[in-house]
Amino acid sequence: MTDTLPPVDTAVTAASDSPQKLKRSIGVVGGTLLTLSCVTPASTLFVIVPDLFSSLGTATALCLAIGALLCIPVAFCYSELGTLVPSAGGEYAIVSTLAGRLAGWLAFVMSLLVVMIVPPVIAMGTADYLAPVVHLDPSLTGAGVMLAATLAGLLDLRANAWITGIFLVLEVVAAGVVALLGFTHTHRGVGSLGSMQIAGEHAHVSPVTAMMVLSGLAIALFATQGFSTAIYLSEELENPRRSVARTVLATLAISSVVILVPVVAITLGAGDLKTLTGGDISSMVIAWSNSAVGTFVSLCVALAIINAGIVMVIQNSRVLFASARDKAWPSPVNNALARLGRFGSPWVATLVVGVPGAFLCFVNLDTLYGVTGVAVTGLYLLVAIAALFARRGAHGGRTAWRMPLWPAMPVLLIAVLVYILVEQDPSYLLWTGAITAVATLYWAFYLRPRRETRWLVSIPEDAVE
């Protein structure tokens, strides 16, 4: 992790020739609405959690709870580093400034993988929850959602904060309905949450091992991953030195509750172990109530998925905008990606991330899940490493929110994340490793030889104190 950037003060002036800047137009409430929408707890509950039920059974709530606890030191790292280096580049700007340009470039690649893959993964779940009204092809519907989200992403960010806020209320209501129905139709006691069982073949009950729970932690981390969106919006948050930390921590707390409480209710309320392992939450809701309630919940989830698509496209475009401003690409590409539209949004970058996302809706879903889980874990690992450098030299004296129990917190996090990585499916590690290798070659043969004119990571001048 060599070739470290200068302290923030000089890093800003190194790349301050960018002609356009994002507008500071949202506060903590608007930022929290946007970040909660990116976590999209209801669509996480209905799209991602069923896969965990199918592989972990009654241990799903335990796995998600462990994942949420692991996210606390991650959120502390994001809160401190996001206030120390408030840039739309997010993780890559932080890691580049603190741990070196190569490490920052790899963080950019990991974050780009995450923000490019997650939206289509979520969008492909739309068709399942529109089924009570109309039957549609999942891939085509997902592509349509991605294109609609791209158009919405071109609007003013303040307008999008209110749009996503309305949708967020609906998805929280849907999650609340599921929790209420599950708790009022319990078929097993609280002790079943630790029973570690899954339905096997021929009505047999199979045990869930500790290693299976550890393997599921990558997806559990993925389930609450969106709280990091706050740092991508730090150039549009008012008073980022204070707002970023508040938004990150509030989002993690709220999203963990909104996801975990319904999962506990579903585990206790599922008719039998086979039903729980099947993970068909819509059918469970209908069994607990009636088809009208099931339709209402399904439509709320469909809206939540569309909402998540809008916010994730916004997030993605800010990452690409920042990379262009920081001269990550050849000049024509940088100039195009850094253009802002009439509403102040980076319109070219928005189109670049939205349209490919529509095509990714036709890729195998399991592969997308696996690669994303590895990329999220790798990204958190790089951020945790950067946190070890956050208080050295000039960085230690800067105004920023500071995490408790430093450096024990990031050290422990690094150890856990490395262990989670080595427990992942080799094929997903291979895919992510190959992409990382190609990115490293780009760094070695294009960015590093042009270090005076390329990859000049910066933060806005108005964020420096």
Side-chain angles (χ1 to χ4, degrees):
M1 297 182 188
T2 57
D3 201 14
T4 307
L5 290 174
V8 172
D9 304 74
T10 48
V12 172
T13 58
S16 60
D17 59 345
S18 179
Q20 294 180 298
K21 297 178 181 179
L22 297 169
K23 296 188 299 182
R24 296 198 180 279
S25 60
I26 54 174
V28 174
V29 174
T32 301
L33 289 175
L34 286 168
T35 49
L36 278 172
S37 299
C38 192
V39 177
T40 180
S43 56
T44 296
L45 174 65
F46 284 84
V47 177
I48 297 172
V49 170
D51 279 347
L52 284 175
F53 277 130
S54 67
S55 58
L56 296 177
T58 59
T60 298
L62 175 63
C63 182
L64 287 169
I66 294 172
L69 289 175
L70 283 176
C71 281
I72 293 175
V74 175
F76 283 162
C77 291
Y78 271 88
S79 296
E80 175 165 340
L81 303 184
T83 53
L84 187 65
V85 188
S87 167
E91 293 96 347
Y92 86 72
I94 289 168
V95 177
S96 294
T97 303
L98 299 175
R101 292 182 178 181
L102 175 57
W105 173 249
L106 295 179
F108 169 70
V109 173
M110 293 296 103
S111 65
L112 195 62
L113 272 176
V114 173
V115 298
M116 290 296 290
I117 294 176
V118 173
V121 165
I122 298 294
M124 280 191 280
T126 310
D128 291 338
Y129 295 100
L130 289 176
V133 179
V134 60
H135 293 280
L136 300 169
D137 178 79
S139 296
L140 289 175
T141 306
V145 168
M146 286 302 304
L147 294 177
T150 302
L151 292 176
L154 298 174
L155 298 175
D156 176 70
L157 192 62
R158 186 187 293 272
N160 269 314
W162 286 107
I163 293 171
T164 57
I166 293 169
F167 283 4
L168 180 63
V169 170
L170 289 174
E171 67 173 294
V172 171
V173 168
V177 169
V178 172
L180 178 63
L181 291 172
F183 283 130
T184 54
H185 293 81
T186 56
H187 286 81
R188 54 187 61 82
V190 177
S192 64
L193 296 172
S195 62
M196 308 280 281
Q197 294 178 336
I198 188 173
E201 295 182 359
H202 309 299
H204 290 300
V205 175
S206 300
V208 175
T209 65
M211 296 305 296
M212 292 168 67
V213 174
L214 286 173
S215 296
L217 281 177
I219 295 179
L221 291 174
F222 169 32
T224 53
Q225 183 270 333
F227 64 82
S228 64
T229 305
I231 65 170
Y232 293 105
L233 300 174
S234 60
E235 291 186 30
E236 292 156 283
L237 282 168
E238 298 164 352
N239 193 2
R241 300 286 179 188
R242 180 182 63 184
S243 301
V244 171
R246 291 182 177 182
T247 304
V248 168
L249 295 173
T251 303
L252 175 60
I254 296 170
S255 60
S256 296
V257 171
V258 174
I259 293 170
L260 193 55
V261 170
V263 169
V264 171
I266 292 167
T267 304
L268 301 181
D272 52 45
L273 192 57
K274 183 178 180 181
T275 300
L276 179 66
T277 304
D280 190 344
I281 300 175
S282 294
S283 296
M284 291 186 223
V285 169
I286 293 173
W288 292 330
S289 55
N290 54 56
S291 59
V293 175
T295 299
F296 168 77
V297 170
S298 293
L299 292 179
C300 284
V301 175
L303 288 175
I305 293 171
I306 296 170
N307 185 32
I310 294 172
V311 178
M312 289 177 186
V313 166
I314 292 171
Q315 170 186 338
N316 302 358
S317 64
R318 270 56 180 179
V319 177
L320 274 186
F321 167 84
S323 73
R325 183 191 59 199
D326 294 339
K327 308 294 188 294
W329 316 104
S331 294
V333 178
N334 290 329
N335 293 336
L337 293 177
R339 288 176 185 159
L340 300 181
R342 60 176 294 190
F343 296 109
S345 61
W347 69 273
V348 175
T350 301
L351 293 175
V352 168
V353 299
V355 175
F359 284 102
L360 282 175
C361 290
F362 298 92
V363 176
N364 179 270
L365 193 57
D366 288 337
T367 301
L368 294 179
Y369 271 135
V371 172
T372 304
V374 172
V376 168
T377 308
L379 185 59
Y380 286 170
L381 180 61
L382 288 168
V383 171
I385 291 171
L388 295 177
F389 298 94
R391 304 187 190 186
R392 68 173 187 177
H395 303 302
R398 298 199 59 80
T399 302
W401 185 92
R402 298 296 182 178
M403 77 177 83
L405 301 177
W406 183 94
M409 200 72 88
V411 169
L412 177 62
L413 184 60
I414 289 168
V416 174
L417 291 173
V418 168
Y419 188 75
I420 292 173
L421 268 181
V422 300
E423 292 299 322
Q424 298 309 301
D425 188 298
S427 63
Y428 302 146
L429 290 171
L430 216 65
W431 271 106
T432 312
I435 294 169
T436 304
V438 171
T440 304
L441 291 175
Y442 178 81
W443 155 263
F445 292 103
Y446 183 77
L447 293 178
R448 185 173 174 80
R450 298 167 177 81
R451 69 183 68 183
E452 300 301 323
T453 59
R454 289 289 177 268
W455 201 233
L456 306 175
V457 178
S458 64
I459 66 169
E461 293 179 13
D462 65 350
V464 179
E465 296 178 356

